[in-house]
Amino acid sequence: MIRRAVREDIPRLAELFRQLHAHHAAIKPETFRMPDGEWFAERIRGIFEDGETVILVSADCEPNGYAVIKIIDVNTEDKYPRRMCYIDCFAVAENARRHGIGTALFGEVKRFARENGCTSVQLGVTACNTGAVEFYRRMGLVPRTLQLEVRID
C-alpha cells in the first residue's frame, strides 16, 4: 500500500533516511558525512512544514520505503514552460528490497506526477550507486544530462 506520509511516520522515516545516508557515506565518503543527533528527524519534520514537498510511503504496518517529491514549474525565457516532478529522495529499507516495494512506490510517483500535470519525473543519482542506477533504468529513466568531475588531490 502506498500512501502519503503522516507526522506519526517521522521516527521511521528518519531511520530510513539515516540508513540511506549511511549508504551514501559508505560509497562516497569524500562527499557524505554522517550528521549527529536529531538531524534526520529535523529534516523530515522540515519537509512536513514546507507545504510544497510530498512524502509518499510504502507501508503495510510501518513505512519500509519512501519518496520525497516536489512539483517544479519551469518557465524561463530560453526554455518552453513545463512542469516536472522532482524526486529529492527515494529509499527502500534494505531488508525490504526485491519485494516490489520500490516499483510500486515509483509507480505512485508517476501517477502523482501525471495527476499534477507534470511532463516528466526527474532525479539525481550518484553514478557509483550502481544498484540505484540499475533500478532507475528498470523504471524507464534515461540520462538527461551528465555532471562530470575530476578529483583534485
Side-chain angles (χ1 to χ4, degrees):
M1 170 176 88
I2 309 296
R3 62 172 172 79
R4 278 193 182 210
V6 295
R7 287 191 176 276
E8 290 76 21
D9 294 325
I10 290 174
R12 177 63 176 159
L13 290 171
E15 173 56 23
L16 291 172
F17 186 19
R18 187 197 63 71
Q19 289 175 19
L20 175 67
H21 200 79
H23 172 71
H24 289 152
I27 63 173
K28 199 138 172 72
E30 70 278 8
T31 301
F32 294 95
R33 61 182 175 180
M34 288 300 293
D36 294 327
E38 286 289 308
W39 187 83
F40 296 101
E42 289 170 9
R43 290 287 306 269
I44 298 294
R45 277 193 288 278
I47 292 169
F48 276 95
E49 294 168 6
D50 86 359
E52 296 181 14
T53 306
V54 172
I55 304 175
L56 299 176
V57 296
S58 171
D60 291 325
C61 316
E62 67 177 357
N64 48 26
Y66 72 100
V68 178
I69 57 178
K70 185 180 232 178
I71 303 297
I72 299 173
D73 289 307
V74 179
N75 190 5
T76 60
E77 296 263 338
D78 63 328
K79 295 182 179 166
Y80 290 105
R82 69 185 188 286
R83 177 171 260 207
M84 67 176 226
C85 178
Y86 186 79
I87 299 175
D88 187 47
C89 197
F90 190 98
V92 173
E94 190 170 337
N95 65 353
R97 293 181 187 158
R98 306 244 181 253
H99 293 93
I101 293 166
T103 301
L105 192 55
F106 196 83
E108 188 63 18
V109 169
K110 289 189 338 186
R111 186 196 64 74
F112 180 87
R114 194 175 300 111
E115 287 181 356
N116 283 278
C118 296
T119 58
S120 67
V121 174
Q122 296 181 19
L123 57 82
V125 62
T126 303
C128 64
N129 193 350
T130 56
V133 170
E134 180 55 34
F135 169 77
Y136 294 130
R137 284 192 173 141
R138 285 195 314 270
M139 295 300 103
L141 280 84
V142 295
R144 183 175 161 270
T145 60
L146 294 175
Q147 184 174 351
L148 306 172
E149 76 175 338
V150 62
R151 298 268 310 151
I152 307 297
D153 296 320

